[in-house]
Amino acid sequence: MTTEIIVALITLVGTLVGTFSGIVVGTKLINYRIDQLEKKVDKHNQVIDRVYKLEQKDAVHDEEIKVANHRIADLEAHHKPIK
C-alpha cells in the first residue's frame, strides 16, 4: 500500500471515531437537559395541583362564611330585645 492510502484510511478512522463520539456526547447532553426539564415540569405541575386544591378549599370556606352570615342575620332578625 502506498502511504497516501494509509494516511487516507487513518484519516477516515479518525473522522469516524470523532463523529461517533460527538454524536454520543451530544445525545447524552440532550438526554440530561430533557431530564432536567421533566423535573421542572413535575415541580410546576405539583404547584398547580396544590393551588387548585387551595382554591377548592377557599371556595368551600367562602360558602361556609356565607351560610354563617345568613344564619347570624336570621338570628338577629328574630331576636327580641329583653327590656
Side-chain angles (χ1 to χ4, degrees):
M1 281 194 194
T2 64
T3 56
E4 290 87 13
I5 294 175
I6 294 172
V7 170
L9 290 174
I10 291 172
T11 303
L12 176 64
V13 170
T15 301
L16 291 175
V17 169
T19 301
F20 181 72
S21 63
I23 291 170
V24 168
V25 168
T27 302
K28 286 181 181 180
L29 178 61
I30 289 170
N31 287 336
Y32 172 77
R33 293 181 73 185
I34 288 172
D35 289 341
Q36 296 304 309
L37 286 172
E38 286 175 347
K39 288 178 184 177
K40 287 182 180 181
V41 168
D42 287 342
K43 285 182 183 179
H44 174 74
N45 288 343
Q46 289 174 358
V47 169
I48 296 299
D49 289 341
R50 288 185 2 226
V51 168
Y52 178 73
K53 289 176 184 176
L54 288 172
E55 288 175 345
Q56 285 180 325
K57 287 181 180 179
D58 187 46
V60 169
H61 291 148
D62 286 346
E63 188 61 32
E64 289 173 345
I65 290 170
K66 285 180 188 177
V67 169
N69 285 337
H70 182 69
R71 291 173 75 187
I72 291 170
D74 285 347
L75 290 172
E76 288 174 346
H78 294 95
H79 177 69
K80 296 179 183 176
I82 300 175
K83 293 184 181 184

